[in-house]
């Protein structure tokens, strides 16, 4: 059993770059893209044309229209952004499922890793050469979060949540736990309670986080009602860039 370091921080300020022209090259960095669904509803007819038939069928399975629209925007945004990095047309990309059930884009070019999350009006996409995980959650004040605290959080984490703005604190810690599970493809299982999620440098074992590599978590706000956390392997010298993108601009 190996000891794994998990470094966790919250960014009080995030500079969302309003990129009109972006050099879509992948160096030693992670690009986090933020896409607002509501800003792209007028493009739904064009965006759905970028999807493959099985993706269109997935969209049609959503009962709520807003969920269907968000899926279309999310999937089209992923195709457009990854296509720019790989020098391919969005509709030509093909996705497959890896042995760990984590999807990847099939390409003859340099390997590229990505992860997607969506909540409320936002879609977030993390792109890098290294493995990444990202989770986005809405601060839903009607959600009965206290009912699930004991099963998913340590006593120290529960004390933190119960101080101050409890709902915000719950969502913050939840995005951190889920971002790690998405990074390592372990899923939300019985180990969730033991995954570290409080600020600072924490030590755990590789069986808990499903990885023997050091992990870094960066949490940030998308707006006043949505929080997100990015997770990545921190054994690399990596810079993180944030992009506020309108799909019509790229």
């Amino acid at each position: 059993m190996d000891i794994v370091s998990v470094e966790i921080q919250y960014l009080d300020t995030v500079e969302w770059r309003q990129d009109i022209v972006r050099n879509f090259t992948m160096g030693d960095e992670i690009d986090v893209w933020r896409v607002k669904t509501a800003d792209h509803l007028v493009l739904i007819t064009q965006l759905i044309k970028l999807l493959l038939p099985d993706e269109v069928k997935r969209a049609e399975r959503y009962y709520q229209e807003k969920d269907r629209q968000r899926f279309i925007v999310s999937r089209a945004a992923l195709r457009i952004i990854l296509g720019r990095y790989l020098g391919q047309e969005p509709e030509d990309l093909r996705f497959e499922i890896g042995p760990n059930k984590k999807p990847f884009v099939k390409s003859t070019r340099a390997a590229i890793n990505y992860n997607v999350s969506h909540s409320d009006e936002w879609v977030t996409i993390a792109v890098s050469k290294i493995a990444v995980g990202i989770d986005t959650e809405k601060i839903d004040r009607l959600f009965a979060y206290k009912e699930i605290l004991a099963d998913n959080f340590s006593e120290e984490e529960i004390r933190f949540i119960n101080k101050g703005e409890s709902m915000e604190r719950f969502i913050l810690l939840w995005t951190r736990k889920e971002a790690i599970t998405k990074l390592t493809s372990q899923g939300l299982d019985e180990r969730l309670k033991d995954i570290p999620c409080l600020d600072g440098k924490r030590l755990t074992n590789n069986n808990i986080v499903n990885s023997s590599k050091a992990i870094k978590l960066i949490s940030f706000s998308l707006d006043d009602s949505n929080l997100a956390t990015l997770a990545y392997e921190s054994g690399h010298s990596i810079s993180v860039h944030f992009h506020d993108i309108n799909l019509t601009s790229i």
Side-chain angles (χ1 to χ4, degrees), residues 119-155:
S119 178
D120 198 21
E121 291 190 348
W122 292 106
V123 176
T124 52
I125 302 172
V127 183
S128 182
K129 291 194 300 185
I130 64 173
V132 288
I134 194 165
D135 186 56
T136 306
E137 300 289 343
K138 179 182 178 180
I139 302 172
D140 182 358
R141 301 188 185 283
L142 298 179
F143 180 65
Y145 68 92
K146 292 187 176 181
E147 298 177 2
I148 67 172
L149 290 182
D151 291 335
N152 297 287
F153 296 89
S154 69
E155 291 183 3

Side-chain angles (χ1 to χ4, degrees), residues 215-232:
I215 294 172
K216 185 165 185 177
L217 302 181
I218 296 177
S219 300
F220 53 92
S221 295
L222 292 172
D223 60 17
D224 292 340
S225 301
N226 293 271
L227 294 172
T229 294
L230 168 72
Y232 62 95

Side-chain angles (χ1 to χ4, degrees), residues 71 76 93 131 140 145 159 165 203 205 216 237:
F71 175 83
L93 295 182
D140 182 358
Y145 68 92
R159 288 195 296 270
E165 296 294 332
L203 298 179
N205 68 68
K216 185 165 185 177
S237 178

Side-chain angles (χ1 to χ4, degrees), residues 6-245:
V6 181
E7 185 179 346
I8 307 169
Q9 70 175 121
Y10 180 83
L11 297 182
D12 291 312
T13 304
V14 173
E15 179 188 355
W16 292 97
R17 302 182 179 186
Q18 307 291 324
D19 288 341
I20 297 177
V21 178
R22 168 75 171 95
N23 181 16
F24 284 82
T25 58
M26 186 50 59
D28 293 328
E29 59 192 19
I30 299 172
D31 287 332
V32 176
W33 298 88
R34 179 176 72 166
V35 184
K36 193 168 187 177
T37 304
D39 292 344
H40 297 87
L41 296 184
V42 294
L43 301 175
I44 287 290
T45 302
Q46 295 98 301
L47 294 178
I48 199 170
K49 293 177 181 178
L50 302 179
L51 309 190
L52 295 184
D54 67 305
E55 294 172 316
V56 175
K57 289 181 180 179
R58 286 172 61 187
E60 292 172 347
R61 294 193 193 108
Y62 284 95
Y63 180 75
Q64 297 286 344
E65 179 68 10
K66 66 177 182 178
D67 294 329
R68 186 184 74 87
Q69 292 172 337
R70 186 171 59 193
F71 175 83
I72 293 171
V73 171
S74 173
R75 201 65 184 177
L78 179 64
R79 285 182 167 277
I80 291 171
I81 291 170
L82 293 184
R84 289 300 181 95
Y85 285 107
L86 296 170
Q88 296 180 237
E89 293 299 321
E91 59 271 30
D92 292 338
L93 295 182
R94 295 295 180 268
F95 297 91
E96 295 187 1
I97 302 297
N100 57 2
K101 296 185 179 181
K102 194 170 185 177
F104 67 95
V105 60
K106 186 176 181 180
S107 174
T108 57
R109 296 174 180 265
I112 190 170
N113 291 281
Y114 71 91
N115 199 234
V116 182
S117 183
H118 45 73
S119 178
D120 198 21
E121 291 190 348
W122 292 106
V123 176
T124 52
I125 302 172
V127 183
S128 182
K129 291 194 300 185
I130 64 173
V132 288
I134 194 165
D135 186 56
T136 306
E137 300 289 343
K138 179 182 178 180
I139 302 172
D140 182 358
R141 301 188 185 283
L142 298 179
F143 180 65
Y145 68 92
K146 292 187 176 181
E147 298 177 2
I148 67 172
L149 290 182
D151 291 335
N152 297 287
F153 296 89
S154 69
E155 291 183 3
E156 183 184 9
E157 292 162 358
I158 292 174
R159 288 195 296 270
F160 171 83
I161 291 171
N162 287 332
K163 295 178 183 177
E165 296 294 332
S166 298
M167 189 64 210
E168 285 86 343
R169 290 173 176 238
F170 164 76
I171 292 296
L172 174 65
L173 299 196
W174 184 270
T175 64
R176 291 174 171 179
K177 287 178 181 280
E178 189 157 347
I180 287 183
T181 67
K182 295 181 72 178
L183 168 69
T184 62
S185 304
Q186 71 187 72
L188 300 176
D189 56 26
E190 68 280 356
R191 293 172 291 179
L192 191 66
K193 184 173 184 175
D194 297 315
I195 292 177
C197 60
L198 293 174
D199 282 358
K201 192 171 184 178
R202 306 280 166 167
L203 298 179
T204 185
N205 68 68
N206 61 311
N207 293 329
I208 297 299
V209 294
N210 205 38
S211 175
S212 59
K213 299 179 180 179
I215 294 172
K216 185 165 185 177
L217 302 181
I218 296 177
S219 300
F220 53 92
S221 295
L222 292 172
D223 60 17
D224 292 340
S225 301
N226 293 271
L227 294 172
T229 294
L230 168 72
Y232 62 95
E233 296 170 351
S234 61
H236 307 266
S237 178
I238 290 290
S239 59
V240 180
H241 301 150
F242 297 89
H243 307 277
D244 197 359
I245 201 73

